[in-house]
Amino acid sequence: MPVVSGHSKWSSIKHKKGAADAKRGKLFTKLARAITVAARDGGSDPDGNPALATAIQKARDASMPKDNIQRAVDRGSGVGSDAAAIERILFEGYGPGGAAILVEALTDNRNRASADVRHAFTKHHGSLGEPGSVAWIFEKRGVVVVDGERYDEDDLIVAIDAGAEDVREDGGQLRAICEPAALSAVREALESAGVEVSSADVAMEPKSTVTVKGTEAEWLLRLVDALEEHDDVNEVHANFDVPEDILEKLAAQAA
């Protein structure tokens, strides 16, 4: 059964404090790239391309303009020549405290991305590993998140009926976990029941977590932030758990 990591709590706390708002332009660039690659690899029809449907929904959730979304789909469908140059690369490594980290990059320059990701790991007391070194710790799951202060587990029963395998509370959030193919159905069931969805995404959920504290936790969260802020990095997945008081303190400094 999937174990919820502190990475989701860290992202949620930063979001609430507005730390991510100033980076919206960079976020739109990353979302557009993900849409373009999904359209290129699986076709331009989101009804027949779950990866594209998820990428478009993430862009809508971030209030990305409709025209930007359509241009990204068009690029992936062959309107323009830059889509073919974008490559998907998976990096695996360990952060301070022994936390496993998976980095998904979408880049038009493999050498640059590899050098920059390696530098981020080294600078923040981590180490880049070989392919397969940490991927086994994670499994691909659909994750729908709602505000745990507004709703309770009874409100998410419809998610179970729609295909969610589990609903769990995590740091003020409720997370419905499902097979990736059921993500859209679970989200739609919740929204039809009047439950506002904070996010819905296919994520690499850790099967186990490691607790990281003190100075190692600070270095680890700086590493995660450095990776997520890189232009070529699309997603970062990690299996750490950090005490909430440390997360709050560091998020306040980042805001």
Side-chain angles (χ1 to χ4, degrees):
M1 190 167 291
V3 177
V4 175
S5 80
H7 188 197
S8 61
K9 296 179 190 175
W10 176 235
S11 300
S12 174
I13 290 170
K14 283 194 301 179
H15 180 75
K16 286 180 180 177
K17 292 187 179 299
D21 290 348
K23 299 166 186 166
R24 176 159 293 192
K26 179 178 286 190
L27 173 63
F28 283 178
T29 299
K30 293 187 179 188
L31 291 168
R33 191 178 293 170
I35 291 169
T36 294
V37 172
R40 179 195 71 190
D41 294 347
S44 61
D45 180 8
D47 291 335
N49 183 348
L52 177 59
T54 299
I56 289 174
Q57 189 60 60
K58 281 184 70 175
R60 288 174 177 159
D61 290 343
S63 302
M64 187 171 171
K66 187 182 296 184
D67 288 349
N68 295 38
I69 293 174
Q70 189 57 52
R71 280 198 297 271
V73 172
D74 289 345
R75 280 198 299 273
S77 306
V79 182
S81 59
D82 55 338
I86 301 174
E87 191 176 0
R88 190 188 303 271
I89 312 172
L90 185 66
F91 299 99
E92 305 179 40
Y94 285 96
I101 301 176
L102 273 182
V103 182
E104 296 181 34
L106 296 176
T107 180
D108 58 2
N109 188 324
R110 171 183 280 268
N111 291 337
R112 178 191 65 217
S114 298
D116 289 352
V117 168
R118 182 177 297 278
H119 175 71
F121 271 92
T122 302
K123 180 180 178 182
H124 296 92
H125 301 189
S127 60
L128 203 55
E130 296 297 320
S133 57
V134 304
W136 60 272
I137 296 172
F138 299 86
E139 57 186 349
K140 189 174 287 189
R141 312 294 287 159
V143 182
V144 182
V145 178
V146 304
D147 187 344
E149 296 174 4
R150 293 178 58 190
Y151 306 102
D152 58 31
E153 292 190 13
D154 288 343
D155 294 317
L156 272 67
I157 289 176
V158 292
I160 300 294
D161 294 338
E165 298 167 1
D166 194 16
V167 172
R168 59 191 64 206
E169 192 278 332
D170 172 38
Q173 298 177 333
L174 288 172
R175 293 158 57 89
I177 311 295
C178 63
E179 289 289 338
L183 182 65
S184 294
V186 171
R187 177 183 183 129
E188 289 168 8
L190 287 168
E191 291 179 335
S192 296
V195 177
E196 184 177 338
V197 171
S198 301
S199 66
D201 198 7
V202 175
M204 299 300 290
E205 290 282 289
K207 300 173 188 174
S208 62
T209 61
V210 295
T211 300
V212 185
K213 300 178 181 179
T215 304
E216 286 188 327
E218 295 188 28
W219 278 111
L220 174 60
L221 295 175
R222 289 193 190 108
L223 169 57
V224 169
D225 283 352
L227 291 168
E228 289 182 335
E229 289 170 11
H230 193 281
D231 289 344
D232 289 339
V233 172
N234 187 49
E235 296 284 354
V236 177
H237 311 283
N239 78 331
F240 63 82
D241 197 11
V242 171
E244 199 145 346
D245 58 331
I246 296 178
L247 295 177
E248 290 279 0
K249 170 189 164 188
L250 294 175
Q253 294 173 358

